[in-house]
Amino acid sequence: MSARKLIGELLVEHGAVKAAEVENALQVQAVKGGRLGEILVRLGAVSTQVLYAALAQQLGVPLLAPDALDEDAIREGMATLSLPAGWWLDRQVLVWREGEGLAVAGADPLDPDVAEALEHEPQGRLVRWHLMLPADAEGAAQRLRSHPQAGGRLDERSLRELAEDAPVVSFVNNTLAQALEAGASDIHIEPGERECTLRFRIDGVLHTRSTLTMDRYPAIASRIKLIGGLDIAERRLPQDGRISTRVAGRNLDIRISSIPAVYGESLVLRLLPKERGDIGMHRIGMEPDHLALFEEWLGLPNGLVLVTGPTGSGKSTTLYSALSHINDGVRKLITVEDPVELRLPGIVQIQTQAEIGYTFARALRSILRHDPDVIMVGEIRDRETAEIAIQAALTGHLVLATVHTNDALSAVNRLVDMGIEPYLVAAALRAVMAQRLVRRICPVCNQPHGDAEALQARWQALRARLPASVAAPAAPDWRMPGGCDACGGTGYRGRLGVYELVTVTAAMQHEIAQGASSERLLHLANANGRRSMVDDGLIKTARGLSTLDEVLRAASEHGG
């Protein structure tokens, strides 16, 4: 019989950690003691989920999901044991009868106290262990105890003690790792009257991950606020924080936002992996004609190019991809952002700090003295920033910026509403692009569309008005989502962009300077080959990449 492999060997064998990370953990273990797996989790080298999958293989026991538990059977089984149920639940161990023996579930099958207690049970000779994640075992034990909600206020010292408790640290670390592995962009923690809801935003849609009893909420909220540098004793005012850390072997920036609500602080964690696989002009999902036009804009010597869309529509990814594309070492590129979401080599990136008066406008004034060729403004929010951006565009700089509007041409009215004279907007503006993100159909479980006739009719109408330069598919491949383990049962996995690109022609500049209506500008843009976001999405739908319902969800018929 071969010797059981060490946990470090298994993790390296599975590609979950590097050998150097195991060596580092062994050095920590030699100094501070503890189990190697727990040290690897604390160091951020591996997630609890991956560790316990390897432990289950090492020990030859199944890894049990919490939804597989029969809580009634556990209550009945534990009522017959020699020790009271509370003793087992304090150790987060669940026991139920299984045939002639006992089934036992918990996070630590090697606990000597539990092993000794089982030996004294009449059925303890036949024990079948099940491994559970620590957070799952703790949650199940909490439900089985049926504790009433903890009341009263906690002082700062008590909150800090709760935040440093090992199970709380493990729960938060595991939640971050699970979110990262699920491809989530945000984690939402929302307290209610009796329960706290944990939700992940995956591909732009919120999914409920779990519900927790409210007696666990203060410790979890305090832990998150503590690592984010927030004041854990302040629960009446909104707060924002940021942390750089390592989770499941990946370097990660986390932005933390807290706002007071009726039942406690609602927390949102934005996850920003430092290594991004979606940066690059050929990865943002543009059709070939749009890509060629956008690259043409990026080659302009001066002027203002705007990217518009709501929060979470992928504007930053598009601009980072654009900067990476034109970063040839010949031109000087400077960005002004709040916050800097991704570090780009060879580019000077400036983080604004409004609390000390270092605003977008003030940063822009200073960088104009640094001889830039291309300036990227994270967002034009006010008149002062807009004025300096337009001044830069009119004095020999290419300025890339974002504005929050629903469609491309609304950006003109937005600048005028900020107080910019129409003739200045006309003189500086070279192009505007609007975008949205739509979910991509899962490549594993997608299937042919059951009713393609309505789609085909709409497709023929679109084909009739598309210019010949658009590489639309001759034979549409209409698909519909299914649902599998790879996509979490949603039928979608990943996202791609749909775009509306408008080049500001001489005729449009004249109309903008005269204060023309949006309808007039739209007419000129359509005459120049504008394609709406919905039409762009329909092309992608015809390629079998998404669905019309998904496109219409993300981009309205009017705005699209």
Side-chain angles (χ1 to χ4, degrees), residues 205-220:
V205 178
L206 280 172
H207 299 269
T208 298
R209 193 73 177 190
S210 62
T211 55
L212 313 168
T213 54
M214 276 300 289
D215 57 352
R216 300 181 65 195
Y217 167 78
I220 294 168

Side-chain angles (χ1 to χ4, degrees), residues 47 138 185 201 252 320 350 366 421 446 463 514 516 531:
S47 69
E138 182 190 0
S185 60
R201 186 177 293 280
L252 185 70
Y320 282 141
I350 298 171
S366 63
E421 293 292 340
N446 71 80
R463 284 295 302 271
Q514 300 300 314
R531 181 165 73 245

Side-chain angles (χ1 to χ4, degrees), residues 163-244:
E164 297 291 356
D165 197 27
V168 175
V169 174
S170 176
F171 176 85
V172 172
N173 290 346
N174 191 42
T175 298
L176 291 172
Q178 287 180 354
L180 202 60
E181 289 168 1
S185 60
D186 303 85
I187 301 171
H188 292 242
I189 300 171
E190 302 162 345
E193 184 176 3
R194 293 184 177 84
E195 292 182 329
C196 173
T197 304
L198 178 67
R199 301 201 286 174
F200 292 172
R201 186 177 293 280
I202 302 172
D203 294 335
V205 178
L206 280 172
H207 299 269
T208 298
R209 193 73 177 190
S210 62
T211 55
L212 313 168
T213 54
M214 276 300 289
D215 57 352
R216 300 181 65 195
Y217 167 78
I220 294 168
S222 297
R223 178 64 190 171
I224 291 170
K225 291 170 70 176
L226 186 66
I227 65 174
L230 279 61
D231 182 354
I232 63 174
E234 178 57 73
R235 298 186 287 277
R236 300 164 299 171
L237 296 172
Q239 297 188 72
D240 292 291
R242 186 182 182 117
I243 182 176
S244 293

Side-chain angles (χ1 to χ4, degrees), residues 10-325:
L10 277 174
L11 290 170
V12 172
E13 187 177 285
H14 292 171
V17 298
K18 298 181 177 68
E21 291 174 318
V22 174
E23 287 298 323
N24 184 34
L26 286 169
Q27 292 176 13
V28 174
Q29 185 184 45
V31 175
K32 297 187 175 181
R35 295 181 179 175
L36 183 67
E38 294 173 354
I39 294 170
L40 285 166
V41 171
R42 287 204 305 270
L43 293 175
V46 69
S47 69
T48 305
Q49 184 89 32
V50 172
L51 170 65
Y52 270 70
L55 283 172
Q57 179 184 341
Q58 183 196 39
L59 300 173
V61 299
L63 183 61
L64 195 64
D67 55 9
L69 295 173
D70 184 340
E71 294 186 2
D72 290 336
I74 294 170
R75 288 190 179 93
E76 290 175 9
M78 296 179 80
T80 66
L81 299 175
S82 303
L83 291 171
W87 186 92
W88 301 94
L89 295 178
D90 285 345
R91 288 154 182 79
Q92 296 167 13
V93 173
L94 315 176
V95 186
W96 65 98
R97 293 183 178 275
E98 191 174 73
E100 297 298 320
L102 296 175
V104 185
D108 186 4
L110 305 179
D111 186 328
D113 292 339
V114 174
E116 183 179 352
L118 288 170
E119 286 179 3
H120 289 88
E121 293 297 330
Q123 293 177 302
R125 290 174 289 102
L126 294 171
V127 172
R128 183 167 180 257
W129 261 95
H130 301 73
L131 198 60
M132 292 186 72
L133 297 179
D136 292 342
E138 182 190 0
Q142 290 269 8
R143 290 194 301 273
L144 287 161
R145 278 197 193 97
S146 300
H147 267 178
Q149 180 178 332
R153 295 169 61 89
L154 295 169
D155 59 22
E156 182 174 353
R157 181 178 176 181
S158 300
L159 289 169
R160 285 188 178 276
E161 289 175 353
L162 285 173
E164 297 291 356
D165 197 27
V168 175
V169 174
S170 176
F171 176 85
V172 172
N173 290 346
N174 191 42
T175 298
L176 291 172
Q178 287 180 354
L180 202 60
E181 289 168 1
S185 60
D186 303 85
I187 301 171
H188 292 242
I189 300 171
E190 302 162 345
E193 184 176 3
R194 293 184 177 84
E195 292 182 329
C196 173
T197 304
L198 178 67
R199 301 201 286 174
F200 292 172
R201 186 177 293 280
I202 302 172
D203 294 335
V205 178
L206 280 172
H207 299 269
T208 298
R209 193 73 177 190
S210 62
T211 55
L212 313 168
T213 54
M214 276 300 289
D215 57 352
R216 300 181 65 195
Y217 167 78
I220 294 168
S222 297
R223 178 64 190 171
I224 291 170
K225 291 170 70 176
L226 186 66
I227 65 174
L230 279 61
D231 182 354
I232 63 174
E234 178 57 73
R235 298 186 287 277
R236 300 164 299 171
L237 296 172
Q239 297 188 72
D240 292 291
R242 186 182 182 117
I243 182 176
S244 293
T245 186
R246 186 173 172 83
V247 176
R250 297 174 65 185
N251 294 320
L252 185 70
D253 282 339
I254 305 172
R255 283 161 43 194
I256 301 171
S257 177
S258 164
I259 57 172
V262 174
Y263 296 110
E265 292 169 288
S266 177
L267 298 166
V268 175
L269 289 73
R270 168 64 61 89
L271 309 181
L272 303 166
K274 292 184 179 180
E275 298 87 19
R276 294 273 297 274
D278 55 349
I279 299 300
M281 292 295 289
H282 292 280
R283 296 176 178 173
I284 59 177
M286 280 189 177
E287 292 295 312
D289 63 316
H290 274 175
L291 185 60
L293 181 57
F294 189 44
E295 289 178 345
E296 183 181 316
W297 294 352
L298 296 177
L300 293 171
N302 56 60
L304 178 63
V305 175
L306 294 177
V307 179
T308 77
T311 301
S313 59
K315 301 186 299 296
S316 295
T317 299
T318 296
L319 286 179
Y320 282 141
S321 298
L323 290 172
S324 297
H325 178 71

Side-chain angles (χ1 to χ4, degrees), residues 379-456:
E379 183 184 346
I380 294 179
R381 300 176 178 174
D382 51 48
R383 176 177 178 173
E384 191 177 11
T385 304
E387 285 177 340
I388 301 169
I390 285 178
Q391 176 192 344
L394 292 173
T395 54
H397 307 89
L398 177 62
V399 179
L400 311 176
T402 73
V403 179
H404 281 191
T405 61
N406 286 330
D407 55 43
L409 291 170
S410 294
V412 174
N413 290 335
R414 181 82 179 98
L415 292 174
V416 173
D417 290 343
M418 286 182 188
I420 306 301
E421 293 292 340
Y423 74 89
L424 287 175
V425 176
L429 193 61
R430 297 288 181 268
V432 191
M433 177 173 75
Q435 69 176 79
R436 297 291 189 278
L437 292 176
V438 299
R439 289 182 294 172
R440 189 187 294 267
I441 289 182
C442 176
V444 177
C445 63
N446 71 80
Q447 50 197 311
H449 202 288
D451 181 19
E453 291 185 11
L455 289 170
Q456 193 66 25

